[in-house]
Amino acid sequence: MARRRNFKKGNRKTFGARDDSNAQKNWTELEKENPKWEKYYKDLGVIPENEWDDFKKTCQAQLPLTFRITGSRKHAHEVLALFEEKHLPGLTNVEFEGEQIQPPKRLPWYPENLAWQLDVSKQVIRKNEQFSKVQRFLVVENAVGNISRQEAVSMIPPIVLEVESHHSVLDMCAAPGSKTAQMIEALHSSEDEPTGFVVANDADARRSHMLVHQLKRLNSANLVVVNHDAQFFPRVKTDKETNQFLKFDRILCDVPCSGDGTMRKNVNVWKDWGTASGLGLHTVQLNILKRGLNLLKKGGRLVYSTCSMNPIENEAVVAAALRQWGDKIKLVDCSDKLPGLVRSKGISNWPVIDKAFEKKEKGDEGTTESWFPPSAEEAADFHLDRCIRVYPHQQNTGGFFITVIEKVGSDSVETAKRATTEEVADEAAVDKKQKTEDGASAAPSAPVKKEKLPRDANEEPFVFLDPKHPELEKCWSFYGIDEKFDKSTCLVRNAAGEPTRVIYYTSSSLKNIIEANEDRLKLVYSGVKLFVAQRSDIECSWRIQNEALQIMKHHMNRNRVVEANVECFKMLLIESFPRFEDMEKSHIDDNFVEKMKELSAGCAFIHVDRGEDKESMFLPVWNGTKCVNLMVCKESTQELLHRLFGIEVTSKKPAAEPKKEEGDASVEQEGKSEEIAGDDAEKSADTA
């Protein structure tokens, strides 16, 4: 990888004055060498001598492209079949510049063959036609949430965490969100709506908003994103009527680390690596783990992980937690999990090397006791060999460390007292931190408000609506929403607390959490868009948003659901605003046209039965007086055309522009966006 000088945008005189030869001189190849790194890991002895050259060479090589097919969707195996049948054959026995290219391979340890690895360079992906097609396929499927491009070793922690649909889950350091996404998928893996939820936290406000962008495409009403320092994550009330606090079933502590396991994709690690980073982060990592253990319920499971190979950040942190918690926690033996994953065991002995690269002994000035390895007696009790180490050369991945911890409790009075003291001290530190933050956020002369945490100018409150609100009553009646649907969990995000443009829906369990913790949690995001306001001159001025359909289709009657055949569905994907008159002439689906003409104008739904072994389609349409429009975004349109009909589309354009009456605003027709169903689009649909 190369680095380039940063020329300011618009400084054309300076940039243009350089010829090609001078421009080339501005590129400096970063050397993937670091003698201290090499000596440290050679002396550590975690890599057998006969494997060292392979290990180092792999660390210097480009990281392969890996992706997984999201497992929470019914059509995951349909997407897998598309990849295996349409793309995989063209990627086998491929030559590039005289060299045989390895075909994609399954990650053998990932469940149901849903994760894949491409051991090819970016140059091959760009220049080879077959690999370029795969790249486009991945981009389209990723955009609609069917595929996640994720580093292979990053997929391990959520799998061994073993999230189930009823679990309360906390991801303490969630950004950028790929592991959080896996846990949300696990939550939604059963046919029934999950009763559990995921709390995704990140200490950095900007990264927490990036996290929202990554997770919104999963359309989960069982997610809340918050912004806290994980070391001082606040206790969460279960509801506002009691003083009971939540203990989580599952917690992921994927902590900040020095990241030398990422040196294949983060080339700066080579020049910046030193022992100081690991030593400095150790206390923060231990604080996060301790906080996670305090928030974990008895019988619950916590995964501690880093993308570092340094034992100071790994086994030393785990050993310190075991030392403090005694027999209330234990390490879980995962040797029978993830069959096919090549791994190494955790270690119980390591040197402590300071930033001057001098070896330190316990008790030396400037050292922290928990840096040092356990005693022989402790090592026998701790079972650090149950930790998982994955090295880059073992299966062409990044480096990773994973430990599974179970909170088992103890009948020992002494251990219980020690753990209780630890928890009390921890809660005191959290309360102190929160009071400091609240006080710092308020004006010096003003008292701190207790009812809610302060919000910045861009944040809106979470206000739940009365289920009997007149606007909601219209929706319940128009769409025939049954009594099994929890109508009390609809919310808006505006200071007035009134439904004006968007109404969101969140799960019942999260409603209690949100309402009970406005004075504790810095809420960033929760809920999926349920209803979006449309024109006011029709029977119901609200339409159901596509992202909420997987929930709502189980709770509405069939009054506004129309059956369509496969050919009609294909036509609706290809054409925008097809006229009923033209559809009748083509006889593409007479029953569909007849039923749509009987319905009043507004939001309706089509159901397409594709056969027993295939996923049926259930999607929203906008029903006009003379035409109909499938309300699917451009990315989903492209994906459906490719997956269901083998049609590749790079830019979606309608077959014909809808006619507009005088005074109608112009309608943007480049692809069919869900947001197209504003007033102007609907007027065009009615007048086309």
Side-chain angles (χ1 to χ4, degrees):
M1 184 174 179
R3 300 179 67 207
R4 187 174 184 177
R5 292 183 186 178
N6 183 26
F7 294 101
K8 291 184 179 179
K9 187 177 180 181
N11 192 1
R12 296 182 181 274
K13 184 176 180 181
T14 304
F15 187 80
R18 299 179 181 273
D19 61 20
D20 290 342
S21 61
N22 284 333
Q24 288 293 324
K25 294 176 184 177
N26 294 324
W27 293 79
T28 305
E29 191 73 23
L30 282 176
E31 189 179 25
K32 295 180 181 179
E33 292 284 351
N34 188 308
K36 288 185 176 180
W37 170 83
E38 187 160 346
K39 177 173 172 51
Y40 181 82
Y41 280 108
K42 275 187 173 180
D43 291 348
L44 187 60
V46 291
I47 308 297
E49 189 175 345
N50 64 339
E51 296 179 20
W52 178 263
D53 290 343
D54 190 21
F55 166 70
K56 182 180 177 181
K57 184 179 179 181
T58 306
C59 288
Q60 293 170 323
Q62 177 186 300
L63 193 69
L65 185 155
T66 49
F67 67 90
R68 58 184 182 81
I69 300 167
T70 57
S72 65
R73 307 287 184 87
K74 278 186 176 181
H75 55 252
H77 287 277
E78 198 170 309
V79 175
L80 174 62
L82 175 64
F83 174 71
E84 291 182 320
E85 296 168 11
K86 300 293 184 181
H87 294 281
L88 193 57
L91 305 179
T92 306
N93 298 322
V94 174
E95 284 193 7
F96 182 76
E97 297 182 349
E99 289 188 14
Q100 190 80 17
I101 303 300
Q102 289 188 39
K105 59 184 179 185
R106 297 181 182 90
L107 298 182
W109 46 267
Y110 195 91
E112 300 183 65
N113 295 324
L114 292 175
W116 290 74
Q117 180 166 311
L118 278 69
D119 295 318
V120 295
S121 67
K122 292 179 181 178
Q123 186 182 20
V124 172
I125 292 175
R126 284 197 305 267
K127 294 185 177 181
N128 179 274
E129 183 181 353
Q130 293 299 326
F131 278 96
S132 293
K133 283 184 179 181
V134 172
Q135 171 75 355
R136 292 195 296 272
F137 163 75
L138 295 178
V139 168
V140 171
E141 296 293 348
N142 181 74
V144 298
N146 290 343
I147 275 178
S148 287
R149 295 177 65 172
Q150 182 179 350
E151 190 176 346
V153 285
S154 172
M155 303 176 193
I156 299 171
I159 297 175
V160 294
L161 194 59
E162 297 183 351
V163 172
E164 297 178 11
S165 62
H166 60 280
H167 284 153
S168 56
V169 184
L170 172 62
D171 189 347
M172 299 189 76
C173 310
S178 56
K179 299 180 193 68
T180 321
Q182 274 182 270
M183 294 187 287
I184 293 171
E185 292 163 27
L187 205 70
H188 289 269
S189 59
S190 68
E191 293 296 317
D192 299 327
E193 293 175 33
T195 55
F197 55 86
V198 173
V199 178
N201 174 67
D202 201 83
D204 185 276
R206 182 182 62 86
R207 281 168 60 87
S208 64
H209 284 279
M210 289 171 57
L211 183 62
V212 173
H213 178 74
Q214 166 84 338
L215 299 176
K216 278 176 71 174
R217 63 198 180 99
L218 296 176
N219 300 332
S220 175
N222 301 69
L223 165 71
V224 61
V225 177
V226 296
N227 171 215
H228 291 275
D229 184 340
Q231 300 175 88
F232 306 99
F233 193 87
R235 289 188 296 175
V236 177
K237 286 186 175 181
T238 54
D239 61 69
K240 58 184 178 181
E241 301 299 329
T242 66
N243 205 32
Q244 297 296 313
F245 293 97
L246 178 66
K247 293 284 188 177
F248 290 90
D249 297 290
R250 297 287 187 268
I251 296 179
L252 176 61
C253 295
D254 186 54
V255 299
C257 66
S258 61
D260 60 13
T262 69
M263 61 203 323
R264 298 185 66 181
K265 63 179 180 180
N266 182 7
V267 73
N268 288 328
V269 174
W270 283 100
K271 69 180 182 66
D272 296 334
W273 188 91
T275 57
S277 181
L279 295 171
L281 285 165
H282 171 90
T283 300
V284 173
Q285 294 162 340
L286 179 55
N287 287 342
I288 293 173
L289 175 54
K290 287 163 57 180
R291 186 60 190 150
L293 289 169
N294 280 331
L295 295 168
L296 186 67
K297 69 165 55 171
K298 182 178 177 180
R301 174 171 287 202
L302 178 149
V303 168
Y304 175 84
S305 60
T306 75
C307 50
S308 169
M309 297 176 284
N310 190 337
I312 303 296
E313 304 175 69
N314 297 328
E315 286 92 347
V317 174
V318 174
L322 288 164
R323 193 175 291 121
Q324 292 178 359
W325 281 80
D327 58 5
K328 285 197 76 177
I329 62 173
K330 71 172 184 179
L331 303 192
V332 178
D333 183 0
C334 293
S335 57
D336 62 336
K337 306 292 184 183
L338 305 172
L341 176 70
V342 183
R343 70 197 92 180
S344 296
K345 295 180 179 181
I347 60 177
S348 294
N349 193 35
W350 55 86
V352 174
I353 310 298
D354 70 6
K355 62 181 180 181
F357 225 72
E358 294 179 356
K359 187 175 180 179
K360 292 293 183 179
E361 301 296 336
K362 188 179 290 188
D364 285 353
E365 185 178 353
T367 63
T368 299
E369 188 172 343
S370 55
W371 289 347
F372 294 88
S375 65
E377 184 181 355
E378 286 178 327
D381 290 336
F382 289 173
H383 300 292
L384 292 175
D385 59 313
R386 293 177 179 174
C387 300
I388 300 171
R389 285 178 159 265
V390 180
Y391 297 116
H393 68 295
Q394 291 175 321
Q395 52 238 307
N396 196 14
T397 65
F400 227 75
F401 175 86
I402 309 102
T403 302
V404 182
I405 303 174
E406 187 177 336
K407 197 171 189 179
V408 294
S410 174
D411 295 326
S412 165
V413 174
E414 183 180 347
T415 303
K417 283 182 178 178
R418 184 168 68 244
T420 302
T421 302
E422 190 74 27
E423 290 189 65
V424 170
D426 193 30
E427 295 301 344
V430 171
D431 290 343
K432 182 179 179 181
K433 173 76 171 177
Q434 190 156 342
K435 286 176 183 177
T436 301
E437 288 180 348
D438 292 353
S441 301
S445 58
V448 179
K449 295 183 178 181
K450 296 295 183 183
E451 65 273 14
K452 291 181 182 179
L453 284 173
R455 300 180 185 277
D456 65 35
N458 296 319
E459 291 181 316
E460 295 289 352
F462 291 74
V463 183
F464 286 91
L465 298 173
D466 184 334
K468 296 189 180 297
H469 191 288
E471 294 302 312
L472 285 179
E473 291 279 19
K474 291 179 186 176
C475 297
W476 308 145
S477 174
F478 184 72
Y479 294 110
I481 307 301
D482 63 31
E483 294 304 316
K484 293 180 180 178
F485 179 73
D486 189 348
K487 299 173 182 176
S488 69
T489 60
C490 295
L491 62 95
V492 294
R493 297 213 58 192
N494 60 66
E498 286 296 323
T500 54
R501 172 65 179 152
V502 179
I503 298 173
Y504 298 86
Y505 166 79
T506 191
S507 67
S508 304
S509 52
L510 277 184
K511 179 196 174 184
N512 293 334
I513 299 296
I514 292 169
E515 286 191 314
N517 294 280
E518 286 187 305
D519 61 336
R520 291 175 170 269
L521 291 176
K522 295 178 183 176
L523 299 165
V524 176
Y525 167 85
S526 188
V528 296
K529 287 183 180 180
L530 176 56
F531 299 121
V532 177
Q534 303 299 294
R535 335 176 358 195
S536 58
D537 61 339
I538 56 177
E539 184 179 351
C540 180
S541 59
W542 297 89
R543 70 177 175 89
I544 294 180
Q545 188 77 352
N546 199 6
E547 64 192 66
L549 270 190
Q550 292 304 311
I551 301 167
M552 299 306 293
K553 69 181 183 180
H554 301 294
H555 297 288
M556 64 175 75
N557 63 28
R558 308 293 290 184
N559 290 347
R560 297 195 67 80
V561 179
V562 180
E563 297 290 331
N565 64 34
V566 174
E567 284 303 310
C568 178
F569 178 53
K570 179 180 177 181
M571 181 270 298
L572 291 173
L573 284 168
I574 294 173
E575 293 186 37
S576 296
F577 302 101
R579 294 169 174 267
F580 292 138
E581 180 183 351
D582 295 333
M583 293 175 72
E584 285 175 322
K585 289 179 181 178
S586 68
H587 296 290
I588 193 165
D589 192 334
D590 292 339
N591 182 66
F592 172 79
V593 175
E594 181 183 345
K595 294 293 184 184
M596 290 302 300
K597 290 172 72 175
E598 291 174 359
L599 291 179
S600 60
C603 180
F605 309 91
I606 64 166
H607 177 260
V608 184
D609 186 350
R610 299 173 54 231
E612 290 183 9
D613 58 338
K614 295 181 180 179
E615 179 199 23
S616 62
M617 297 287 109
F618 190 89
L619 296 166
V621 293
W622 187 263
N623 186 40
T625 56
K626 297 181 180 179
C627 66
V628 65
N629 190 43
L630 186 65
M631 305 306 295
V632 179
C633 69
K634 179 177 70 175
E635 291 81 7
S636 292
T637 299
Q638 292 178 2
E639 193 276 332
L640 288 167
L641 282 170
H642 180 49
R643 175 160 59 92
L644 306 187
F645 303 105
I647 300 173
E648 286 196 47
V649 184
T650 53
S651 61
K652 171 76 170 62
K653 290 187 178 181
E657 290 282 334
K659 296 178 181 178
K660 298 184 285 289
E661 290 184 348
E662 186 178 355
D664 277 352
S666 173
V667 183
E668 177 58 52
Q669 300 280 339
E670 181 62 33
K672 295 192 287 184
S673 167
E674 287 184 307
E675 299 304 323
I676 202 172
D679 291 347
D680 297 328
E682 288 139 19
K683 288 175 184 175
S684 296
D686 285 347
T687 59

